[in-house]
Amino acid sequence: MRVMERVIAMTERRLLNDRGRPYFDLDFYAINKRGDWAGACCYQGSRYAVADASGARLVESAYLFKREERPTGKPISGTMNAR
């Protein structure tokens, strides 16, 4: 999460709304040698696939902002907005 916060903090102002929320989403996935895994995203609602001894399934990602906090309105030039 700290990496995601840093990416947002270093983002050009034109890509953020007036509350500092990005017009784009970020998804990070991590796994270590022991097989521990995690996923994180900017906005609530992202999922990722996992397959282990318990079987295959989709897992909700940790998130920084609630879905309602995603900026809406006029798209910013050079970015993609999910609808």
Side-chain angles (χ1 to χ4, degrees):
M1 292 298 232
R2 288 184 184 165
V3 171
M4 194 172 314
E5 290 170 344
R6 182 163 167 77
V7 168
I8 293 169
M10 307 270 307
T11 298
E12 292 180 32
R13 192 77 201 146
R14 68 183 179 88
L15 301 176
L16 304 173
N17 72 357
D18 57 345
R19 294 183 59 208
R21 306 293 192 254
Y23 284 102
F24 55 88
D25 203 351
L26 292 170
D27 288 281
F28 289 105
Y29 310 100
I31 188 166
N32 65 20
K33 289 180 182 180
R34 293 183 308 204
D36 300 324
W37 41 262
C41 61
C42 276
Y43 297 104
Q44 178 184 19
S46 183
R47 299 184 302 173
Y48 58 100
V50 172
D52 59 14
S54 300
R57 62 193 179 282
L58 291 175
V59 179
E60 294 288 327
S61 294
Y63 58 89
L64 282 178
F65 309 115
K66 292 187 178 186
R67 182 184 323 242
E68 303 82 44
E69 295 180 70
R70 179 185 293 274
T72 59
K74 183 179 175 185
I76 301 299
S77 175
T79 65
M80 295 173 42
N81 286 340
R83 303 218 185 260

